[in-house]
Amino acid sequence: MNTIFTGNTLFSSNVILVSRSTFFQEMKSMREFDFEPFGVNGAVVAGKLDLTFHTKLKRYKVVNADAKHVANIFGCLVERHIKHGSVTADSTVTSDFPIHSTDDLERFVTGLNGSFIVESLSPLPHRLYPDAGGTIPIVYCPSSGRLASSAGMMMNAAEYEERFLRDRYNRLIGNEISGAWIPGFLTDHEGLWRLLPNFFLDLQTWEARRFWPKKENIHATISVEDAVQSVAADLRGYVNAVAAQFPTIANTLTAGFDTRIILSASRDVCEQCEFFTFGTKDHGLDPVVAEKIARKLGLKHRFLEPVLSSEKDKEQWDILVGHSTHEVNRNLYKTLSLLTSDVMLTGMYGETGRSRLYQKELDRIEKASITDRFVAGRISAPMDDAEVVATLNAWLKTIDWAPNWKILDLAFNELRFGGWAMAQATAARGVQFTLIPF
């Protein structure tokens, strides 16, 4: 496992603090949001992690096969879809094998499904593990021992303003195309770092390290047919387990492969599902195809006409995502408030790196030289920005032993989805709670 950084040792701390502006003056009176921000907020105090978390999330106690309390889970588990254990009525997760080492714990963690973080306890090292997609975003401050789902949830208005890196924001978002984001381990605040999917955070040293994949488990001897059947069974099992846990489900439906696969996985529980599509009927490819699918299969389906964000809504978005992305959802995220289901399922993570980053190079991608600038170009991050190159170089060192196809697949999941899409969770999932089967 490779250490990424401890505190501010990796990157220059040449910080440009923001000047007082109208926005930040207004922000001081905006700390009360009109919905509950999604995620967690807390600190390590005297060696113990103290967390508050969103009302859709809860605390689970992990007990191994030796009846020892070895970990805590904060989040929403898909309780009937746990690979190595089961959940009791008192929210205790019992592992079906002893957990005596970090390897044992990581085997257990990678068998969980849902939206969660896992805290390992003594005698194991004190660590925090995210779920496979990093669906509860985590940023952390080594100097103060704090962590939260965004800077806006961690800091009061004065600290948020004082530590805001306006130069970084202007370079990477303010002067870039719509949809730009702060990549890699970076955030828009001094001394604050982002935890990416497949990395754990050591809560004693505040080092972030990769724990998955390991060299020995990136190859498997399996036929394409067997692999497809395994994935299909797993997705179907996930959706069926969600349906057993939540009475009503809202499913995204578009023209894309990912949402249609989730539709297929939902075939046994369609009576609990309401499928929805952004936009209006006959306006664009997604609504047209979705309407045809829904009519042919007799699905409950609705169109959600976009609810445009007010200026206050946009400002709340900016704060809740820590000014880390300027995604188009900033203008539309309140549309999700039209849904009344207990949980939403989305096709996020259904795409892969090979379908987006090297689709036309499958036969020659292993001959490419994968560098930090190469990765930046493929994930649409600035290729010549020194801080971007540094953070991507640090990321690349954790996986440089892998074949190129694996590096790019992980770049897409960790750097684009994990650092860009999941950073939006504090706002978007505060409006509508979401689980991600893929």
Side-chain angles (χ1 to χ4, degrees), residues 129-164:
Y129 290 86
D131 64 51
T135 64
I136 298 178
I138 296 293
V139 297
Y140 59 97
C141 177
S143 63
S144 65
R146 291 179 294 167
L147 58 90
S149 286
S150 73
M153 293 175 66
M154 178 190 296
M155 303 174 184
N156 61 30
E159 184 183 9
Y160 192 101
E161 175 183 353
E162 180 183 8
R163 296 174 64 174
F164 186 71

Side-chain angles (χ1 to χ4, degrees), residues 245-263:
Q245 193 166 331
F246 295 94
T248 58
I249 304 169
N251 297 55
T252 54
L253 184 61
T254 68
F257 286 119
D258 45 5
T259 62
R260 284 187 281 164
I261 291 173
I262 299 300
L263 165 61

Side-chain angles (χ1 to χ4, degrees), residues 83-100:
K83 186 174 183 180
H84 298 300
S86 58
V87 181
T88 62
D90 65 350
S91 297
T92 296
V93 184
T94 303
S95 169
D96 60 13
F97 62 88
I99 299 176
H100 294 156

Side-chain angles (χ1 to χ4, degrees), residues 122-137:
S122 178
L124 298 177
H126 197 196
R127 296 176 176 177
L128 200 69
Y129 290 86
D131 64 51
T135 64
I136 298 178

Side-chain angles (χ1 to χ4, degrees), residues 245-313:
Q245 193 166 331
F246 295 94
T248 58
I249 304 169
N251 297 55
T252 54
L253 184 61
T254 68
F257 286 119
D258 45 5
T259 62
R260 284 187 281 164
I261 291 173
I262 299 300
L263 165 61
S264 178
S266 305
R267 62 186 304 165
D268 296 333
V269 296
C270 275
E271 68 279 0
Q272 293 177 237
C273 301
E274 179 181 54
F275 296 85
F276 71 94
T277 307
F278 272 62
T280 56
K281 184 178 180 180
D282 301 327
H283 189 267
L285 181 62
D286 279 339
V288 169
V289 172
E291 196 276 333
K292 288 181 178 179
I293 292 172
R295 185 174 62 247
K296 181 175 182 179
L297 299 180
L299 305 175
K300 288 181 288 186
H301 178 252
R302 64 185 293 200
F303 292 100
L304 297 185
E305 188 168 347
V307 175
L308 298 180
S309 297
S310 66
E311 288 306 308
K312 179 182 177 182
D313 294 335

Side-chain angles (χ1 to χ4, degrees), residues 224-361:
V224 172
E225 178 61 26
D226 287 344
V228 169
Q229 292 303 322
S230 175
V231 171
D234 202 35
L235 284 173
R236 188 163 55 247
Y238 185 109
V239 173
N240 288 344
V242 169
Q245 193 166 331
F246 295 94
T248 58
I249 304 169
N251 297 55
T252 54
L253 184 61
T254 68
F257 286 119
D258 45 5
T259 62
R260 284 187 281 164
I261 291 173
I262 299 300
L263 165 61
S264 178
S266 305
R267 62 186 304 165
D268 296 333
V269 296
C270 275
E271 68 279 0
Q272 293 177 237
C273 301
E274 179 181 54
F275 296 85
F276 71 94
T277 307
F278 272 62
T280 56
K281 184 178 180 180
D282 301 327
H283 189 267
L285 181 62
D286 279 339
V288 169
V289 172
E291 196 276 333
K292 288 181 178 179
I293 292 172
R295 185 174 62 247
K296 181 175 182 179
L297 299 180
L299 305 175
K300 288 181 288 186
H301 178 252
R302 64 185 293 200
F303 292 100
L304 297 185
E305 188 168 347
V307 175
L308 298 180
S309 297
S310 66
E311 288 306 308
K312 179 182 177 182
D313 294 335
K314 294 176 184 177
E315 290 170 346
Q316 289 190 346
W317 166 280
D318 288 336
I319 295 167
L320 285 178
V321 304
H323 279 78
S324 64
T325 177
H326 211 265
E327 159 68 12
V328 66
N329 289 338
R330 175 179 185 262
N331 301 321
L332 303 170
Y333 71 106
K334 286 297 187 71
T335 307
L336 294 173
S337 65
L338 300 176
L339 298 171
T340 58
S341 298
D342 298 300
V343 66
M344 183 174 84
L345 297 183
T346 175
M348 179 67 70
Y349 282 105
E351 295 175 285
T352 64
R354 68 200 67 187
S355 67
R356 291 288 295 271
L357 304 188
Y358 60 103
Q359 182 181 27
K360 298 179 180 179
E361 302 167 272

